């Protein structure tokens, strides 16, 4: 599967930075989490550098490759970070600064793409060529892996599924909820956890979180059952729209809502009616590595044939 060189993955979140060291077989050699220095760019660079050093000490190695997953992307036009909800990173040459701090090249990827890479290498999509990984959580996004490598796209936006409109909208779904991006009816406004909660509130007049709605539906509460039915139909439409373009070998679900087994099991029959084909047999699976997929995928940004000394600094989507 991979060479013997150890790989470090860093998952840079808004509240924590997770780090892992993987060996060539994907086994964990070291794993550490530290708080994110919120609002502090220099502090964030220092925290990652210290974390890398601690991971290498614990794993008994040095000079390991380093991949970083983060929300946001590096602009192809400027080389600066854009679209990060860790706003202190935006407008900064993060990849270059971190490489200089570590004294080695680094690879930077969007966290959804890290999920896709992780599940493609040794997860729910292992052995398949084209993996589409969908995140259903506080936000909605997706990542694409082709032959185990992240597909970024010319503008570093490949997989930005959540900010497309809900396909085949019904009359009562137009124009759709307002989205922070400035448009209405984005998939994220319907299919995120807060989107599910908002839809339930509009229909029932009650206030429940997405997690509470799932529990209430399982217990037979009529309003919650109806909300989950609407959610599944919208999710089926949203996924089918991408299947009609991408036709992936597997659809892997991540994020909090992916842990609802009944949702994962019911989804294929909600997708099939909207797929432009005489059959639909694409497997839909929950992520194998769960919350660890992001940090594992960051480690796997260095593929099986990479040479650390020759590899460029790369920031993808």
């Amino acid at each position: 599967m991979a060479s013997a060189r150890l790989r470090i993955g860093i998952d840079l979140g808004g509240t924590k930075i997770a780090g892992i060291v993987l060996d060539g077989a994907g086994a964990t050699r070291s794993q550490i989490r530290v708080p994110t220095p919120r609002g502090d760019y220099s502090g964030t660079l220092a925290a990652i550098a210290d974390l890398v050093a601690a991971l290498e000490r614990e794993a008994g190695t040095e000079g390991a490759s380093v991949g970083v997953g983060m929300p946001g992307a590096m602009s192809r036009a400027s080389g600066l970070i854009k679209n990060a909800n860790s706003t202190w990173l935006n407008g900064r040459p993060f990849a270059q600064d971190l490489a200089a701090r570590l004294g080695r090249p680094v690879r930077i990827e969007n966290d959804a793409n890290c999920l896709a890479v992780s599940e493609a290498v040794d997860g729910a999509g292992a052995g398949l060529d084209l993996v589409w990984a969908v995140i259903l959580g506080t936000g909605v996004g997706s990542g694409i892996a082709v032959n185990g490598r992240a597909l970024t796209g010319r503008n570093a936006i490949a997989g930005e599924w959540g900010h497309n409109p809900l396909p085949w909208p019904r009359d009562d779904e137009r124009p759709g909820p307002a989205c922070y991006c400035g448009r209405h009816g984005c998939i994220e406004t319907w299919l995120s956890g807060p989107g599910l909660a908002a839809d339930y509130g509009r229909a029932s007049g009650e206030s429940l979180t997405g997690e509470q709605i799932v529990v209430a539906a399982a217990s037979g509460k009529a309003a919650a059952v109806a909300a989950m039915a609407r959610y599944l139909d919208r999710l089926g439409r949203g996924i089918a729209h991408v299947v009609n373009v991408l036709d992936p070998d597997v659809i892997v679900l991540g994020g909090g809502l992916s842990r609802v087994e009944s949702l994962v099991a019911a989804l294929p029959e909600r997708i099939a009616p909207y797929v432009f084909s005489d059959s639909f047999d694409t497997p839909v699976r929950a992520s194998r590595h769960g919350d660890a997929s992001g940090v594992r995928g960051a480690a796997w940004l260095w593929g099986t044939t990479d040479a650390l000394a020759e590899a460029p600094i790369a920031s993808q989507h």
Side-chain angles (χ1 to χ4, degrees), residues 22 32 84 93 111 121 143 197 216 259 304:
L22 299 182
I32 303 172
D111 50 7
V121 171
R259 294 192 285 271
T304 60

Side-chain angles (χ1 to χ4, degrees), residues 115-261:
L115 168 63
V117 169
S118 172
E119 296 297 324
V121 171
D122 61 357
L128 299 174
D129 294 333
L130 181 52
V131 175
W132 182 39
V134 172
I135 295 178
L136 301 172
T138 304
V140 169
S142 75
I144 303 164
V146 181
N147 297 322
R149 291 177 178 268
L151 176 66
T152 302
R154 183 182 181 97
N155 299 294
I157 55 170
E160 283 292 359
W161 177 59
H163 291 285
N164 288 281
L166 182 71
W168 301 287
R170 310 191 192 290
D171 288 343
D172 62 354
E173 294 171 336
R174 299 186 181 93
C179 184
Y180 74 86
C181 75
R183 296 180 174 86
H184 283 78
C186 287
I187 285 171
E188 181 167 290
T189 68
W190 295 109
L191 299 182
S192 63
L196 171 61
D199 177 70
Y200 177 85
R202 287 190 295 269
S204 69
E206 297 180 79
S207 178
L208 293 180
T209 66
E211 183 177 0
Q212 290 170 332
I213 294 165
V214 170
V215 172
S219 69
K221 183 179 174 68
V225 170
M228 290 305 298
R230 292 191 299 273
Y231 182 90
L232 264 171
D233 176 66
R234 290 162 180 156
L235 182 57
R237 280 184 270 158
I239 288 178
H241 198 232
V242 176
V243 170
N244 286 340
V245 175
L246 191 63
D247 200 10
D249 293 310
V250 64
I251 300 163
V252 179
L253 303 182
L257 287 163
S258 73
R259 294 192 285 271
V260 182
E261 293 182 5

Side-chain angles (χ1 to χ4, degrees), residues 34-47:
V34 298
T36 300
R38 291 184 59 81
D40 185 348
Y41 179 69
S42 295
T44 299
L45 292 172

Side-chain angles (χ1 to χ4, degrees), residues 32-130:
I32 303 172
R33 289 187 176 191
V34 298
T36 300
R38 291 184 59 81
D40 185 348
Y41 179 69
S42 295
T44 299
L45 292 172
I48 295 174
D50 290 345
L51 180 56
V52 167
L55 288 164
E56 290 188 324
R57 284 195 303 271
E58 192 169 288
T61 189
E62 60 182 15
S65 62
V66 177
V68 180
M70 58 173 289
M74 187 179 80
S75 167
R76 293 292 182 91
S78 67
L80 307 179
I81 297 298
K82 63 179 181 179
N83 301 338
N85 56 15
S86 299
T87 55
W88 60 96
L89 302 175
N90 288 327
R92 301 280 194 162
F94 177 69
Q96 295 88 336
D97 287 347
L98 184 58
R101 181 69 68 100
L102 295 176
R104 71 191 83 170
V106 298
R107 289 188 172 175
I108 311 292
E109 263 291 359
N110 175 266
D111 50 7
N113 279 349
C114 288
L115 168 63
V117 169
S118 172
E119 296 297 324
V121 171
D122 61 357
L128 299 174
D129 294 333
L130 181 52

